[in-house]
Amino acid sequence: MRSRLLPLLIVLMAAVLLALGFPLAVSTAAREQQQVIVDRIDDTTRFAALAQSVTVRPDTPGTCL
């Protein structure tokens, strides 16, 4: 009896782990991808601000240097 029950339980546990693990992996990958996108947008904004501060002339009205 045990020799037939153990493989069945192992197969069922593997199925449950796959059924729960796949959506978790997908959501984790989506979250990490979104974080990378946000970091790249932040970097682009920072570099644009640095480039703008370098290109602004000090005698331009309305600048605060």
Side-chain angles (χ1 to χ4, degrees):
M1 178 77 175
R2 284 188 183 181
S3 62
R4 290 183 293 184
L5 188 59
L6 186 60
L8 178 64
L9 289 176
I10 289 174
V11 169
L12 289 175
M13 286 298 290
V16 167
L17 288 175
L18 283 174
L20 294 176
F22 186 72
L24 178 65
V26 169
S27 67
T28 302
R31 184 183 68 233
E32 291 294 324
Q33 182 181 12
Q34 187 66 30
Q35 186 62 39
V36 168
I37 290 171
V38 169
D39 285 343
R40 287 187 179 176
I41 290 172
D42 288 345
D43 289 343
T44 303
T45 305
R46 179 175 167 264
F47 293 145
L50 287 172
Q52 185 178 12
S53 69
V54 170
T55 59
V56 171
R57 294 173 49 166
D59 60 346
T60 305
T63 58
C64 297
L65 293 179

